[in-house]
Amino acid sequence: MSLLVFMEIGKEVELKNFSRLQIGGPARDLVRADTVDELIDAAKTARELRMPIFILGGGTNILWSDNGYDGLVLMPFLTFMEIDDTRVTAGSGVEMANLVGSTVSRGLAGLEWAGGLPGTVGGAIYGNAGAFGGEIKDSLLEVVSLDLDSFKLKHRLAGECKFGYRTSVFKSERLNEVILHAIFKLTHGNKLYLSRKMDSAINYRKATHPLEYPNIGSIFKNVAVSGIDRNLAKLYENAVKTDPFPLIPAAYLIDKAGMKGARVGGALVSPKQPNFIVNVENASARDVLRLIDMVTEKVYINCGVRLEKEVRIMA
Ligand SMILES: Cc1cc2nc3c(=O)[nH]c(=O)nc-3n(C[C@H](O)[C@H](O)[C@H](O)COP(=O)(O)OP(=O)(O)OC[C@H]3O[C@@H](n4cnc5c(N)ncnc54)[C@H](O)[C@@H]3O)c2cc1C
């Protein structure tokens, strides 16, 4: 029996269709909830059936297992957006491209750095997505989530979300919560200037990312200069970029370790952007994991730096 037929996409749905890397076996059940009530119903039913629940946004930062997921994949498809002067409320299922485009076209400043950032508002908050000197936390006022144990709403001001480099309280404390919506505080700006900034971010991504192949963005976090040995930091000082603080790009280290273009099965370390692993030919999650391990090891041996994963690994 299906969980809740009216909003369900299905049982045994292939998760490769729900990851930008196009890898992943079947989910026991997958529900797309269009309202908070539907979300609560699906989560409560899963709890009664003792099924684990995984919250999925746009699938742009996730590696599923070849064996799939033995539980409920729950997609909060909450796509409302309300713009009241500089205050913007967006459901967690809103695509970042939609949020950025809608605010920039009204001359609202604060999210233009996110031009071309894939994924949803929920996913961006979960991982405190950032690029070109901006981070999602910078323009956030409040996040509202649903606790999947008590089924109570939680309101957190941005300052209470423990945001850090590619992390938040939802990620670092593995909270059993679904982000429902967020309130952003933007400022009035020049529409033309903001559009140019958004477009230049989009164009930069098109020129430098291997978008022609399935991928899930940067596999590894860039390396904080403050977190490594002073001699190593000196060795790599010419590669350091400040975004949002002094970092050594993981791509630089992967290249230096000779791993650009390394391949396992159908998975390839992109020669165009070595921090991306692309699916060039029916790659499996096993191929990707093996390649991630190889890159981690080679970078450690050749560069003395231990890379940390940025993507969510469910394999
Ligand atoms: C081509 C490309 C370029 C990218 N560039 C960048 C970049 O410049 N900067 C950057 O930071 N990232 C980048 N990414 C990674 C990715 O786009 C971001 O991490 C994005 O914010 C993930 O959003 P998502 O909705 O796809 O999340 P998903 O991949 O669906 O999920 C990611 C994590 O968020 C959790 N999550 C999602 N929605 C919710 C919710 N509503 N409530 C609770 N938890 C939730 C999931 O459980 C999962 O753990 C890039 C990815 C690609 C493919």
Side-chain angles (χ1 to χ4, degrees):
M1 261 296 281
S2 293
L3 264 183
L4 283 163
V5 174
F6 63 94
M7 61 181 161
E8 185 176 44
I9 292 181
K11 296 178 95 61
E12 303 292 314
V13 171
E14 290 293 314
L15 286 170
K16 67 176 179 208
N17 298 319
F18 293 88
S19 162
R20 281 278 181 100
L21 198 53
Q22 294 177 16
I23 290 176
R28 196 155 130 205
D29 219 327
L30 190 146
V31 167
R32 194 190 81 172
D34 294 337
T35 65
V36 175
D37 284 345
E38 287 182 0
L39 198 130
I40 292 174
D41 283 350
K44 281 191 172 162
T45 312
R47 284 270 174 272
E48 278 161 29
L49 297 172
R50 296 183 185 280
M51 278 166 84
I53 300 173
F54 184 87
I55 305 299
L56 180 66
T60 67
N61 206 26
I62 186 155
L63 173 65
W64 293 113
S65 160
D66 296 318
N67 299 325
Y69 181 68
D70 190 18
L72 169 67
V73 174
L74 185 53
M75 298 178 76
F77 200 66
L78 309 171
T79 55
F80 62 91
M81 198 190 322
E82 221 176 83
I83 302 184
D84 179 9
D85 192 31
T86 55
R87 191 184 160 96
V88 180
T89 306
S92 59
V94 170
E95 291 283 336
M96 281 303 295
N98 185 4
L99 178 66
V100 175
S102 303
T103 51
V104 163
S105 67
R106 283 171 173 79
L108 292 174
L111 290 167
E112 61 284 356
W113 58 267
L117 179 76
T120 62
V121 166
I125 292 171
Y126 180 89
N128 187 26
F132 309 112
E135 290 178 292
I136 200 80
K137 72 169 176 55
D138 299 340
S139 49
L140 254 189
L141 265 186
E142 189 182 332
V143 180
V144 178
S145 58
L146 176 77
D147 188 314
L148 289 176
D149 294 320
S150 64
F151 289 97
K152 288 198 171 126
L153 291 184
K154 299 227 166 146
H155 294 251
R156 285 187 185 83
L157 295 174
E160 296 169 319
C161 291
K162 300 186 183 169
F163 286 117
Y165 179 57
R166 300 294 179 270
T167 193
S168 69
V169 68
F170 303 100
K171 184 171 176 179
S172 59
E173 297 188 6
R174 295 172 172 265
L175 297 183
N176 200 11
E177 295 180 24
V178 193
I179 297 162
L180 297 181
H181 70 260
I183 303 170
F184 296 88
K185 179 77 179 150
L186 305 181
T187 55
H188 291 291
N190 179 292
K191 195 156 65 173
L192 189 63
Y193 171 77
L194 296 172
S195 298
R196 285 205 179 126
K197 280 200 90 171
M198 178 183 74
D199 289 343
S200 92
I202 294 171
N203 291 334
Y204 179 86
R205 286 173 185 280
K206 281 185 187 155
T208 57
H209 292 169
L211 303 180
E212 60 279 25
Y213 293 110
N215 72 80
I216 43 174
S218 298
I219 298 291
F220 299 99
K221 291 181 181 178
N222 294 325
V223 180
V225 172
S226 59
I228 60 170
D229 178 89
R230 214 184 283 171
N231 294 326
L232 278 178
K234 183 100 188 107
L235 194 61
Y236 301 128
E237 67 186 354
N238 290 335
V240 171
K241 62 171 192 174
T242 302
D243 181 12
F245 48 82
L247 294 164
I248 304 165
Y252 170 85
L253 296 169
I254 296 167
D255 187 8
K256 213 163 169 50
M259 292 303 283
K260 194 154 103 173
R263 181 169 175 164
V264 174
L268 178 80
V269 174
S270 167
K272 194 170 178 185
Q273 201 332 335
N275 197 12
F276 280 41
I277 288 180
V278 289
N279 179 356
V280 285
E281 204 184 356
N282 299 319
S284 63
R286 267 171 69 106
D287 295 340
V288 177
L289 287 174
R290 178 84 191 97
L291 200 47
I292 289 175
D293 284 349
M294 281 166 60
V295 169
T296 309
E297 196 182 314
K298 285 275 187 209
V299 168
Y300 186 61
I301 291 170
N302 293 342
C303 306
V305 176
R306 188 144 314 269
L307 292 177
E308 258 182 66
K309 290 184 260 312
E310 181 173 316
V311 289
R312 181 77 191 263
I313 308 273
M314 292 296 289

